[in-house]
Amino acid sequence: MVTIDTLYSPRLSFKTTEHVGAAAAAPPRAGDCSRSTGAEPGTEPPVVAEQRDSLHVLVRHPAPRRHEDVSPVPEQTCSQTASHEGPVFSLLSTNPQLLSAGNGEISCWSWSELSVKPLWTKRPNYKSSLVTPEINSMVLIPRDNSLVVGGGDNNLHILDLEHGAFKSVLQGHTDYIHCVSVREREGEILSGGEDGAVRIWDCRTNQSVHCIDVSKYEACARPQLGKWISCLTTDSDWMLCGGGPSLSLWHLRSLSPTSVFPLRGCQRQAAFYQDMILAVGDGAFVSHCLLGGEVKSQIPCTPQSLNTLQLNTNSTEHRVLTVGGSSSHVDVFTNVSYKAFSLSF
């Protein structure tokens, strides 16, 4: 059995396009809002599909164990939940809950009791009521049970999940924010935006302690593509960022790039994986890059361009990679070196 994570899809019929002898199942992403799983023993959490102003949840019944009753079970293929007035821009899944963000607000849903109404909906304290900014990115800080959100008002807003109130606003970006990451051990938040800046924030003081203008580094700059930062992720003392500038690896103690990856087009998401870097963006492939800057291989995918990748690192049995982009297919890799099959919606 393989596992997939959060999925994005314009249609609803769920099917695999290549048989691999195992059903696909999908636990939500890891996060520590609560220790409870929100699912009954022996069941597997549903798959989330994002479609404009609704969330679609595909529910599959687990295969019966040997010697169990195999009488037909009525199939539930999909439940639709009206979640936001407008598009959904960001999803974040924890064991018991799903967080969704759209135009100016965040909603929380229970995995165990998905219904028409969310458990709660919160809206940051925006300066103006005339414009409703989108929320492009969310990340959890498990240590103090907080949620960091960034989007179209150029600010980061921190929600105290314990008390259900926004506790601080981090100001510094001059254009809207695309991506957010956390260095929990160091107590730092990183954010990348349309202004071309990667800002590093101290969680204790809520102040910007460093600002990196990536496009000012000649090795990274690509003026023809712009200076905006579309992807950002961290691993201990290292940071990956890219977008208009080339995807690059940075040492955060020295605040300098150590490797620049010769990938064409804009990279929309990247991840550290063992001793490699996985990246997706313009192009129908997942790029495998070495830490020194070399592109080791590019694995073909179904979509002609890719927007997102997810690694399920929370399970040793179902450790798979999923990627999605410009088509209705989500490619599933049971080994990161080749595509096992595709899901179609």
Side-chain angles (χ1 to χ4, degrees):
M1 182 178 292
V2 296
T3 305
I4 60 175
D5 204 353
T6 304
L7 307 179
Y8 302 84
S9 134
R11 288 183 286 172
L12 297 178
S13 57
F14 177 80
K15 59 184 179 182
T16 60
T17 59
E18 186 175 334
H19 180 66
V20 294
R29 299 179 196 164
D32 274 335
C33 283
S34 168
R35 296 280 181 187
S36 64
T37 61
E40 295 179 2
T43 66
E44 300 186 22
V47 178
V48 182
E50 171 187 332
Q51 182 184 18
R52 293 188 63 81
D53 57 350
S54 297
L55 294 178
H56 300 279
V57 180
L58 308 177
V59 181
R60 292 181 304 280
H61 295 281
R65 296 190 182 99
R66 188 177 298 176
H67 307 306
E68 285 186 350
D69 180 19
V70 292
S71 301
V73 178
E75 184 179 2
Q76 269 184 287
T77 57
C78 177
S79 65
Q80 177 173 333
T81 302
S83 54
H84 297 273
E85 294 182 0
V88 177
F89 294 111
S90 182
L91 292 172
L92 180 62
S93 180
T94 72
N95 282 338
Q97 296 166 335
L98 170 69
L99 299 172
S100 61
N103 281 322
E105 63 182 21
I106 305 136
S107 294
C108 177
W109 315 80
S110 170
W111 279 119
S112 60
E113 297 178 0
L114 286 170
S115 61
V116 176
K117 292 184 178 181
L119 298 176
W120 51 257
T121 296
K122 302 292 181 183
R123 183 182 178 89
N125 299 316
Y126 298 117
K127 286 185 176 180
S128 173
S129 59
L130 299 178
V131 179
T132 302
E134 77 281 2
I135 294 174
N136 293 323
S137 184
M138 300 186 290
V139 65
L140 284 169
I141 306 179
R143 180 170 57 183
D144 61 359
N145 201 20
S146 296
L147 177 72
V148 182
V149 301
D153 69 337
N154 311 344
N155 298 326
L156 293 173
H157 300 265
I158 301 181
L159 173 63
D160 183 341
L161 293 171
E162 188 72 25
H163 299 94
F166 285 92
K167 60 182 182 179
S168 54
V169 180
L170 281 56
Q171 298 177 317
H173 282 280
T174 59
D175 212 332
Y176 58 86
I177 296 170
H178 285 292
C179 42
V180 181
S181 186
V182 167
R183 296 177 76 201
E184 187 176 7
R185 188 182 64 184
E186 290 78 8
E188 291 178 342
I189 300 168
L190 285 78
S191 56
E194 188 74 12
D195 57 5
V198 172
R199 287 189 174 269
I200 303 176
W201 310 82
D202 189 325
C203 293
R204 295 162 294 185
T205 63
N206 293 332
Q207 297 298 311
S208 176
V209 293
H210 298 291
C211 180
I212 304 171
D213 191 339
V214 179
S215 62
K216 286 188 175 180
Y217 289 78
E218 185 177 355
C220 302
R222 296 187 296 184
Q224 72 277 16
L225 296 179
K227 63 180 183 178
W228 52 287
I229 303 299
S230 59
C231 68
L232 174 66
T233 189
T234 59
D235 183 8
S236 185
D237 291 333
W238 300 93
M239 173 184 76
L240 281 170
C241 66
S246 297
L247 182 70
S248 51
L249 177 66
W250 292 67
H251 186 243
L252 289 174
R253 291 186 181 272
S254 61
L255 296 179
S256 59
T258 61
S259 302
V260 179
F261 303 96
L263 299 172
R264 295 182 180 180
C266 297
Q267 301 307 300
R268 300 188 180 93
Q269 196 161 357
F272 292 95
Y273 178 71
Q274 296 179 354
D275 58 349
M276 293 190 304
I277 289 163
L278 307 179
V280 297
D282 294 342
F285 45 78
V286 178
S287 296
H288 291 197
C289 304
L290 301 179
L291 298 178
E294 301 86 1
V295 179
K296 180 181 178 182
S297 60
Q298 292 182 314
I299 311 304
C301 297
T302 306
Q304 292 304 299
S305 66
L306 298 171
N307 298 325
T308 182
L309 66 82
Q310 289 296 323
L311 274 164
N312 180 24
T313 58
N314 300 303
S315 169
T316 55
E317 183 182 359
H318 308 309
R319 184 162 294 184
V320 300
L321 167 70
T322 56
V323 299
S326 59
S327 79
S328 60
H329 291 78
V330 174
D331 288 348
V332 180
F333 297 72
T334 54
N335 180 313
V336 296
S337 298
Y338 66 90
K339 181 185 72 173
F341 62 95
S342 292
L343 304 176
S344 180
F345 292 87

